[in-house]
Amino acid sequence: MFERIQELLSPVVLAAIWAACKAIIILLTLVVSAAWMIWLERRLLALWQDRYGPNRVGPFGLGQVIADMIKIFFKEDWMPPFVDKFTFVLAPFLAMMFMMLAFALIPITPNWGVFAPDLGMLLFFAIAGLAVYAVMLGGWSSNSKYSLLGGLRSTAQTISYEVFMGISLMGIVAQAGTFNLREIVLWQEQHIWFVIPQFFGFLVWCLAGIAVTHRTPFDLPEAESELAAGYHTEYSGMKFGMFFVGEYVGIVMVSGLTTALFFGGWDGPFSEHVPFLWFAIKCFIFMSGFILLRAALPRPRYDHMMSFAWKICLPLSLINLLATAGIMLWAGN
Amino acid sequence: MVEFAFYVASTVALFSTVMVVVNTHPVHALLYLVLSLLSVAMVFFTLGAPFAGALEVIVYAGAIMVLFVFVVMMLNLGRKTVEQERAWLKASGWIGPLVLSLILLVQLVLVLAPMSHLTPAGTQIIDAKTIGIALFGPYLLAVELASTLLLAGLVAAYHLGRHED
């Protein structure tokens, strides 16, 4: 009996089980940190606005998230009678799923990370491209004017910002010579963090990252002063919760990608001993940056945002790519 | 294993493409089209062309289809369109296209059958570098022509969208 179990658990099988366990641990950490980011955001906003924020449930109000979750789980799962049922249910699933899926590509430490395919960055673009459908279908299926306008805005915004999000990262691909995110981090460990040679790429990437997660100042798809709540006006209960947490998962994901692509991932002093600590610290700084932006900046007008995208960001990223390629050719020969 | 994945992906592609035609709801039909493109990307992956597969998802499913759905959303097609579509999908409308595509299918099988001895696809992986070398080597003229065509399209779109003031 014992021998048969041992036979079944050959090293290959054990390695596969361990990899699956790692993936689940990463997923749970991602979702939990995304949920507690809601608390972090409320506390930090309160701090900057000279008030307390949620501080009643548990130590420092940390239990607020659990209380909110319990409340949202037990809320009635109500669906308006005028919606397109299938797409109405599909949209929040897509919103959360694609953001979590993209996190699988991020290398966290030398030994941790879900998977690192050779086309990692292209797969990220593919996932980001498909993530548009969540907001779009959510807005359309709700069959309400506010939702539809939010969905339309979000589609136009995401499509235009995705164009130069891709181009802004191509300088990195040219310098590191690979689409593989893990190899990009290793390249930075040996040479230099990409934020210095690819500074303009970094600027454009930051804007695109904010626009893709629909955060302030680019939260026009859900601008509450003009669109009620934008694409998720008709949603309630857990379906709304998935849109909401999906947004925070997106923030964690974009912060993790910024860390991996521009700030050397786990690289730092003593990184051979505490690689995860460096990754976590860098991620935390970018996540707080998202919140600070929300606290500091007003929302621009919609046409301003679109013309900024096409007239400034796109040429900037193109020039950055051409200059990178030119310098590489000049230095190479 | 890869062969199995290929057959699963192509079955999904066939089924979803048929559903694009049969479905009477415009947005649902477009979602089937997205699914069809995703399964075609999967077919590319199983054939050893991951770069082409990734581009298929990014360009077709992630950008072009989004614009299709965008336009259909703006048209605000209601229940009337569904009924109209249903009326158009009568059996009499099916016979002509069905016979014609059957003829094409038979022709395709007849052409492909004697070629089964050719080298199978998917024995080597075609990555980004191979494609880049091919595009800027033997196919350079085609790339230049295509980019000129795109530029012409861009200029035309700019002209159409320009305000006269």
Side-chain angles (χ1 to χ4, degrees):
Chain A
M1 182 65 192
F2 188 67
E3 274 169 13
R4 281 199 56 192
I5 294 175
Q6 243 178 352
E7 234 171 80
L8 277 175
L9 294 175
S10 62
V12 185
V13 178
L14 278 179
I17 293 174
W18 176 228
C21 287
K22 269 177 164 177
I24 291 170
I25 293 171
I26 291 173
L27 178 68
L28 289 180
T29 318
L30 168 69
V31 175
V32 168
S33 48
W36 256 279
M37 220 199 125
I38 301 172
W39 171 83
L40 180 76
E41 172 159 45
R42 293 177 64 185
R43 284 308 297 254
L44 282 182
L45 282 179
L47 179 76
W48 288 319
Q49 291 165 359
D50 209 12
R51 56 193 171 85
Y52 283 119
N55 65 349
R56 297 286 128 176
V57 194
F60 308 108
L62 274 167
Q64 186 69 43
V65 175
I66 302 171
D68 285 347
M69 279 291 155
I70 291 171
K71 177 215 161 198
I72 220 166
F73 266 119
F74 285 99
K75 223 171 167 179
E76 188 190 348
D77 189 35
W78 189 71
M79 213 190 282
F82 46 81
V83 300
D84 186 81
K85 286 201 177 57
F86 175 67
T87 33
F88 190 77
V89 178
L90 183 71
F93 279 95
L94 292 181
M96 195 150 164
M97 187 185 81
F98 283 124
M99 291 296 155
M100 296 200 293
L101 195 60
F103 198 84
L105 300 165
I106 298 173
I108 296 171
T109 72
N111 303 319
W112 284 74
V114 180
F115 81 136
D118 276 338
L119 289 168
M121 202 184 274
L122 286 179
L123 287 184
F124 166 70
F125 295 144
I127 294 167
L130 291 178
V132 189
Y133 285 107
V135 176
M136 208 172 164
L137 293 177
W140 172 77
S141 68
S142 298
N143 212 352
S144 111
K145 293 192 178 66
Y146 289 131
S147 301
L148 185 65
L149 280 175
L152 290 177
R153 273 187 183 182
S154 143
T155 312
Q157 168 181 332
T158 318
I159 285 263
S160 12
Y161 275 77
E162 247 167 30
V163 170
F164 55 80
M165 180 172 81
I167 299 172
S168 71
L169 296 185
M170 284 307 123
I172 292 183
V173 175
Q175 276 198 295
T178 174
F179 285 110
N180 190 327
L181 292 173
R182 187 165 284 277
E183 280 169 28
I184 288 174
V185 174
L186 291 173
W187 190 94
Q188 294 178 84
E189 217 172 17
Q190 285 156 9
H191 299 84
I192 188 171
W193 289 3
F194 271 124
V195 66
I196 296 166
Q198 290 292 324
F199 184 68
F200 292 105
F202 172 66
L203 288 183
V204 174
W205 157 257
C206 282
L207 289 172
I210 300 165
V212 164
T213 49
H214 313 299
R215 288 287 299 186
T216 344
F218 298 137
D219 66 340
L220 289 128
E222 41 190 310
E224 64 274 353
S225 53
E226 44 200 275
L227 286 184
Y231 59 87
H232 53 54
T233 308
E234 305 294 340
Y235 281 87
S236 71
M238 203 49 218
K239 291 209 260 325
F240 167 75
M242 284 173 84
F243 267 125
F244 195 63
V245 175
E247 184 180 311
Y248 287 89
V249 173
I251 295 173
V252 180
M253 189 267 292
V254 168
S255 306
L257 264 180
T258 317
T259 309
L261 289 171
F262 289 98
F263 288 85
W266 59 80
D267 190 29
F270 310 111
S271 64
E272 58 273 20
H273 304 299
V274 283
F276 178 70
L277 192 66
W278 279 112
F279 183 82
I281 289 173
K282 290 173 193 173
C283 266
F284 180 79
I285 291 172
F286 292 120
M287 279 151 65
S288 313
F290 269 100
I291 300 169
L292 181 60
L293 274 181
R294 175 169 171 187
L297 291 181
R299 202 175 283 135
R301 228 169 69 192
Y302 186 68
D303 57 329
H304 286 176
M305 194 192 75
M306 291 301 269
S307 59
F308 181 74
W310 289 105
K311 287 178 182 163
I312 297 179
C313 290
L314 182 67
L316 189 65
S317 55
L318 279 174
I319 290 169
N320 178 49
L321 176 60
L322 280 179
T324 310
I327 291 172
M328 276 178 63
L329 284 177
W330 179 67
N333 299 324
Chain B
M1 185 62 193
V2 174
E3 208 167 294
F4 180 68
F6 171 80
Y7 282 115
V8 171
S10 28
T11 313
V12 174
L14 282 178
F15 173 74
S16 50
T17 313
V18 169
M19 285 309 284
V20 175
V21 183
V22 176
N23 207 308
T24 47
H25 195 293
V27 172
H28 291 183
L30 280 178
L31 287 182
Y32 271 114
L33 191 48
V34 174
L35 184 62
S36 158
L37 290 168
L38 288 181
S39 44
V40 170
M42 188 62 205
V43 169
F44 276 128
F45 274 108
T46 56
L47 288 177
F51 188 73
L55 282 192
E56 173 96 12
V57 179
I58 296 170
V59 176
Y60 284 94
I64 294 179
M65 285 319 295
V66 171
L67 293 179
F68 269 74
V69 181
F70 190 83
V71 170
V72 171
M73 269 165 60
M74 294 233 278
L75 293 178
N76 192 18
L77 306 166
R79 196 157 295 157
K80 221 187 232 171
T81 348
V82 176
E83 273 153 25
Q84 193 185 31
E85 279 282 321
R86 201 162 287 157
W88 283 346
L89 278 175
K90 287 272 163 54
S92 56
W94 275 96
I95 295 168
L98 207 63
V99 169
L100 288 176
S101 34
L102 257 182
I103 293 173
L104 281 180
L105 182 68
V106 169
Q107 197 182 13
L108 188 72
V109 170
L110 284 180
V111 169
L112 286 183
M115 291 189 190
S116 53
H117 63 278
L118 288 179
T119 351
T123 46
Q124 62 176 26
I125 289 176
I126 301 160
D127 57 359
K129 196 170 185 178
T130 327
I131 290 176
I133 291 171
L135 283 183
F136 288 93
Y139 298 109
L140 184 61
L141 185 66
V143 172
E144 293 293 334
L145 286 176
S147 57
T148 319
L149 186 67
L150 285 177
L151 182 67
L154 190 70
V155 172
Y158 174 74
H159 177 74
L160 288 176
R162 197 171 49 130
H163 294 293
E164 292 291 342
D165 50 36

